Amino acid sequence: MSLHHLLFPLLILASSAASSVSATAKEQTLNTQQANFFNPKLPPRTLSSSKKFEGSSEIVDLRYHMGPVLSSSPINIYLIWYGKWSASQKILIKDFINSISPSAAAPPSPSVSDWWKTVSLYTDQTGANVSRNVVIAKEHSDTAYSHGSHLTRLSVQQVISTAVGAAPFPVDHRNGIYLVLTSNDVTVQEFCRAVCGFHYFTFPSMVGHTLPYAWIGNSGKQCPEVCAYPFAVPGYMGSGGPGALVPPNGDVGLDGMISVIAHELAEVATNPLVNAWYAGEDPTAPTEIGDLCEGLYGTGGGGGYIGQVMRDRRGKTYNMNGNKGRKFMVQWVWSPVLKACAGPNALD
């Protein structure tokens, strides 16, 4: 469902050993720092006979509803750090966001910027594409928990109103995304139970303006087995599942959170006012380009399998490279060209 990032549909999988596949010469083009391709849970042959078009379906009716997309360049991210955040946590998340735009010192493929190319394929009614350039325009730290340590969907908008009213942020209707990130000691309505993040637009009655925004929470202490899967797994899976993967940056909560941030940014860019790109007839519950690829990170994925990703010499798993030598594990998004889920680490 859209407007929010749904919880990953965890499945109790049949027991089998995790498999590691050495990269071939051809695959080596995706290889950095002696990484190996790794599928933590290989699907049955009947599900993996074709590597192409993961998640594809003729019944998916993703349509354009004539609303705007974020085509003005650059897309400005207004970051609101709500609660307690360490400098290293902020740097990690900002490194991911700064990896979206193409750069002169481009990281090796598959890269975060390559991943965003799929998002940029979406257009508005004039034919203008979603911008390739995403920048952090300004930041605001709300360390005083101005609206308490428990937020509702409406009070998330009040957090934005406080940031705009305090004047660190301009009112950016055309190409702004107001990104609220809550620390691991902040509880949010439906967090862990039904959502890991969501996006919408602010109400003039709450903020004074209609502005696209997204919220994502750090699940590190509250529900990593739900919102940071596959870096944490539910206890009920026991030894019958693939086991938790090692996060690329050593932080289960933040590495899981980055994939949710990616999911929401892709959906805000292509459906900022919930009247542009989505499937379904109900705009209050649309299925968007991230929802269609929930839990899918590599070739051969689908049906509860994350697909083939990469594992470096230290055992850390990832599927794309970012700036400054960073590695990230980010879910795929729906391609309007392939009519299927797509990611830069695809093997076909």
Side-chain angles (χ1 to χ4, degrees):
M1 160 143 199
S2 58
L3 306 193
H4 62 263
H5 176 94
L6 287 176
L7 302 183
F8 180 75
L10 298 177
L11 302 177
I12 300 178
L13 305 176
S15 175
S16 73
S19 298
S20 159
V21 181
S22 298
T24 64
K26 179 182 178 181
E27 292 166 343
Q28 201 69 23
T29 58
L30 298 180
N31 188 7
T32 60
Q33 295 187 6
Q34 299 181 5
N36 287 326
F37 289 104
F38 170 65
N39 192 333
K41 189 73 174 181
L42 292 172
R45 291 183 181 276
T46 54
L47 296 179
S48 59
S49 58
S50 172
K51 293 179 179 178
K52 290 187 177 294
F53 306 135
E54 285 78 6
S56 62
S57 172
E58 294 182 359
I59 66 172
V60 173
D61 185 23
L62 183 74
R63 292 182 292 119
Y64 177 55
H65 295 80
M66 304 306 289
V69 301
L70 296 185
S71 58
S72 298
S73 186
I75 296 172
N76 293 319
I77 305 294
Y78 298 98
L79 266 173
I80 301 174
W81 304 99
Y82 192 86
K84 297 177 182 177
W85 293 89
S86 69
S88 61
Q89 289 176 322
K90 289 182 178 182
I91 289 170
L92 174 57
I93 289 175
K94 289 192 290 184
D95 282 348
F96 170 73
I97 295 172
N98 288 329
S99 297
I100 293 174
S101 300
S103 63
S109 294
S111 69
V112 176
S113 180
D114 293 337
W115 168 81
W116 189 262
K117 281 182 183 177
T118 299
V119 181
S120 71
L121 295 173
Y122 289 86
T123 62
D124 63 15
Q125 57 186 305
T126 70
N129 292 80
V130 168
S131 174
R132 288 289 312 276
N133 296 306
V134 179
V135 301
I136 298 172
K138 287 197 173 182
E139 299 176 59
H140 174 62
S141 293
D142 194 334
T143 57
Y145 301 81
S146 62
H147 296 277
S149 60
H150 175 73
L151 301 178
T152 64
R153 284 178 177 261
L154 286 179
S155 61
V156 167
Q157 294 198 25
Q158 291 173 336
V159 169
I160 297 171
S161 179
T162 296
V164 172
F169 291 168
V171 175
D172 191 347
H173 297 281
R174 290 193 60 194
N175 55 339
I177 298 176
Y178 295 77
L179 184 59
V180 180
L181 305 178
T182 51
S183 56
N184 59 18
D185 57 341
V186 177
T187 58
V188 179
Q189 179 185 6
E190 297 185 325
F191 184 32
C192 295
R193 185 184 65 81
V195 297
C196 300
F198 61 78
H199 77 90
Y200 205 58
F201 52 84
T202 61
F203 304 145
S205 60
M206 297 291 295
V207 182
H209 311 276
T210 300
L211 305 170
Y213 78 94
W215 158 79
I216 298 94
N218 183 344
S219 66
K221 290 184 178 179
Q222 297 182 50
C223 58
E225 72 284 356
V226 176
C227 291
Y229 185 90
F231 303 129
V233 298
Y236 66 75
M237 292 182 73
S239 60
L245 304 185
V246 180
N249 297 286
D251 189 319
V252 169
L254 256 67
D255 276 305
M257 189 179 188
I258 283 169
S259 186
V260 186
I261 290 172
H263 175 119
E264 298 303 335
L265 290 181
E267 293 185 343
V268 177
T270 56
N271 197 27
L273 300 180
V274 201
N275 60 358
W277 288 95
Y278 64 87
E281 300 301 323
D282 183 0
T284 66
T287 299
E288 299 170 280
I289 70 169
D291 303 318
L292 290 167
C293 304
E294 191 76 48
L296 181 60
Y297 295 84
T299 297
Y305 301 98
I306 69 168
Q308 191 146 292
V309 294
M310 289 175 284
R311 184 167 59 181
D312 67 16
R313 291 174 295 178
R314 295 170 294 176
K316 296 182 177 182
T317 50
Y318 65 102
N319 66 350
M320 58 190 74
N321 297 294
N323 296 348
K324 301 179 182 179
R326 293 282 195 187
K327 300 187 188 322
F328 301 103
M329 183 100 138
V330 175
Q331 74 150 85
W332 287 9
V333 291
W334 188 264
S335 166
V337 175
L338 295 178
K339 307 297 183 187
C341 298
N345 59 311
L347 300 180
D348 44 19

